[in-house]
């Protein structure tokens, strides 16, 4: 035998994250592992990898998927001890995933029966433990099935059964395995999985503690309240003579936001259009291209302001040139110095006609020290699918910088912003421009009434308005919105426009 012949005997085991092309194989595996239970839907698997891709892991052996596990992050203290699988996993869609939580919650582990002597389950559990350590999570929590309990249910209670398994007087394929992997039994859960007749709908609550966990000092962990203070700038478009004058105006407002200990300062769409008042270019399309030359100045200014004043700045929007195309791009300047961008997706006929603007192709959700947020420029908020997608990805606040010229256009933005807050049980913040640039082509008039909008229910202001500016006035407004109240509200049993959707008859899919 030559060395070259060895390759024909190689069979590789790969542990990796699940991707879309794996979905059919995952469903097939689930049907084999749990023939008496409903498998995942494609929509649920889509939701898993969109919301928390790192938590979805599979084992590939010789090109075939032979095992997988699914997880999400929660603050387990927010749930009752007797929670259900549907409650904590959002019926398998994991929109309950909380990236700021402290516990990795295991939804499912499955290994193909033909490969159960190859330590595949142990490999998956080790991958979960590594993930918990990398993310500095306190523990891994699982609601474990007890699939052999139905054979003993007429002789002993589920607690007695679990104790017999712990004493190794009985063998249970799930509970015994979890014990061997360092999990400790916390309690018995009743009515955990209604269709798990093998376990008689019971489950064991088990926990593995991360001994490497380092407690975080953050207001995120104050359970009763997580206030976020927002300062909205209703910005006046008026003639200026230099970029330095523009910078002075912007710094003034960020300074004000900082004085009031704001977490976010929000500027309107097209805020840098004010620079056209000293640029000698009458053609709108050429003027916009000239405006892109100020991109380094704009980015440097707002990045420095965010760090200097310790405020996350939504820097309105600025026009960027990329591959000889012009885009309207919103910027998030975090107070830790990092920067993120959201390209405007839906371009108005006016923008296309006068300035030659192109639409972006990616919808982003951004992590901040105050949770996940989304930025939607002006007309993007008028498309409800966009907000539903970011809500499913965990965004709790949508920031809407806008620029409108008349009341009718403004009201479209306002009413849609309020609708998105109600539909998705989240906060929506709008910031618009006022004033006039009478000597700049196609930026003659502005109309705005910026606002901070909430869901419409008992936990929030009576009219769903936390704060609102006076119309067409240069000013700022501030309000404190509580993300912990929002989280509790999303779990109530009253009106749940997120949780009660009929996903059995309709769904929303993203084209990748």
């Amino acid at each position: 035998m030559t060395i070259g012949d060895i390759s024909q005997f190689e069979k590789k085991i790969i542990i990796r994250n699940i991707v879309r092309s794996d979905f059919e194989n995952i469903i097939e595996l689930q049907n084999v592992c749990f023939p008496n239970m409903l498998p995942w839907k494609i929509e649920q698997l889509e939701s898993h990898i969109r919301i928390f891709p790192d938590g979805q892991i599979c084992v590939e052996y010789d090109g075939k998927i032979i095992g997988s596990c699914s997880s999400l992050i929660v603050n387990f203290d927010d749930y009752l001890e007797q929670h259900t699988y549907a409650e904590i996993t959002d019926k398998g869609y994991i929109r309950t995933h909380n990236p700021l939580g402290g516990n990795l919650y295991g939804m499912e582990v499955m290994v193909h029966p033909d490969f159960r002597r190859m330590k595949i389950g142990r490999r998956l559990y080790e991958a979960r433990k590594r993930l918990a350590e990398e993310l500095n999570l306190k523990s891994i929590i699982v609601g474990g099935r007890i699939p052999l309990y139905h054979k003993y249910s007429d002789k002993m209670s589920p607690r007695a059964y679990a104790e017999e398994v712990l004493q190794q007087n009985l063998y249970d394929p799930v509970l015994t395995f979890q014990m061997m992997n360092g999990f400790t039994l916390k309690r018995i859960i009743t009515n955990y999985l209604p269709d798990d007749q093998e376990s008689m709908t019971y489950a064991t609550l088990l926990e593995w503690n991360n001994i490497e966990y380092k407690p975080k000092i953050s207001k995120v962990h104050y359970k009763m309240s997580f206030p976020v203070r927002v300062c909205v700038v209703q910005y006046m478009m008026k003639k200026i003579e230099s970029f330095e004058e523009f910078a002075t105006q912007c710094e003034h407002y960020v300074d004000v936001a900082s004085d009031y200990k704001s977490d976010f300062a929000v500027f309107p769409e097209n805020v840098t259009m004010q620079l056209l008042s000293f640029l000698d270019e009458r053609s709108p399309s050429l003027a916009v291209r000239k405006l892109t030359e100020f991109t380094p100045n704009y980015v440097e200014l707002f990045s420095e302001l965010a760090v200097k004043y310790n405020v996350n700045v939504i820097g309105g929007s600025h026009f960027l040139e990329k591959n000889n195309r012009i885009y309207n791009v919103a910027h998030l300047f975090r107070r830790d110095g990092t920067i993120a961008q959201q390209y405007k997706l839906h371009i108005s006929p006016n923008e296309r006609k006068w300035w030659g603007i192109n639409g972006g192709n990616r919808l982003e959700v951004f992590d901040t020290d105050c949770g996940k947020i989304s930025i939607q420029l002006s007309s993007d908020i008028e498309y409800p699918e966009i907000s539903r997608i970011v809500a499913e990805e965990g965004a709790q606040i949508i920031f809407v910088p806008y620029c409108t010229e008349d009341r009718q256009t403004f009201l479209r933005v306002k009413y849609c912003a309020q609708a998105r807050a109600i539909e998705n049980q989240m906060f929506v913040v709008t910031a618009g421009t006022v004033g006039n640039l009478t000597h700049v082509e196609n930026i003659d008039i502005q109309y705005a009434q910026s606002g901070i909008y909430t869901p419409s229910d008992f936990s929030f202001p009576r009219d769903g308005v936390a704060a609102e500016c006076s119309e067409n006035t240069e000013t700022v407004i501030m309000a404190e919105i509580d993300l912990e109240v929002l989280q509790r509200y999303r779990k109530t049993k009253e009106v749940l426009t997120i949780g009660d959707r009929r996903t059995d008859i309709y769904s929303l899919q993203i084209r990748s």
Side-chain angles (χ1 to χ4, degrees), residues 23 39-40 60 142 163 230 241 277 336 367 377 414 487:
F23 288 174
W40 293 122
E60 182 182 308
V142 296
E163 288 176 350
V230 178
E241 300 297 334
S277 61
D336 66 1
D367 286 308
L377 283 174
K414 175 182 175 178
Q487 288 286 8

Side-chain angles (χ1 to χ4, degrees), residues 338-350:
T338 57
I339 305 170
Q341 297 176 324
Q342 172 63 65
Y343 282 58
K344 189 171 184 177
L345 303 179
H346 299 90
I347 306 303
S348 70
N350 199 42

Side-chain angles (χ1 to χ4, degrees), residues 175-193:
L175 181 53
T176 301
F177 172 78
Q178 289 161 336
M179 288 167 44
M180 298 297 291
N181 279 276
F183 282 75
T184 56
L185 178 64
K186 310 292 287 185
R187 65 185 67 89
I188 300 294
I189 310 174
T190 59
N191 299 316
Y192 183 69
L193 265 173

Side-chain angles (χ1 to χ4, degrees), residues 408-469:
Q408 289 87 344
T409 311
F410 150 72
L411 286 176
R412 287 201 298 272
V413 173
K414 175 182 175 178
Y415 292 154
C416 289
Q418 290 185 285
R420 303 299 89 87
I422 293 168
E423 292 164 355
N424 300 292
Q425 297 177 288
M426 64 199 312
F427 299 112
V428 180
V429 179
T430 68
T433 53
V434 298
N436 302 293
L437 290 177
T438 55
H439 43 291
V440 177
E441 190 73 21
N442 200 44
I443 319 180
D444 356 13
I445 55 175
Q446 315 283 306
Y447 191 104
Q449 185 180 24
S450 307
I452 301 171
Y453 304 110
T454 75
S456 183
D457 216 322
F458 292 110
S459 303
F460 305 98
R462 186 189 67 179
D463 300 322
V465 179
E468 208 165 33
C469 291

Side-chain angles (χ1 to χ4, degrees), residues 264-318:
F264 290 95
V266 190
F267 285 82
E269 180 186 29
N270 297 345
V271 66
T272 56
M273 280 287 202
Q274 189 178 25
L275 302 177
L276 295 180
S277 61
F278 64 81
L279 296 179
D280 186 21
E281 179 55 66
R282 299 295 296 175
S283 167
S285 60
L286 295 179
V288 163
R289 288 187 178 272
K290 188 171 288 189
L291 194 61
T292 64
E293 298 172 8
F294 285 87
T295 298
N297 310 69
Y298 162 78
V299 172
E300 183 180 16
L301 167 66
F302 278 101
S303 184
E304 288 181 355
L305 293 180
V307 174
K308 176 181 178 181
Y309 290 99
N310 192 31
V311 179
N312 297 304
V313 179
I314 310 296
S317 75
H318 176 69

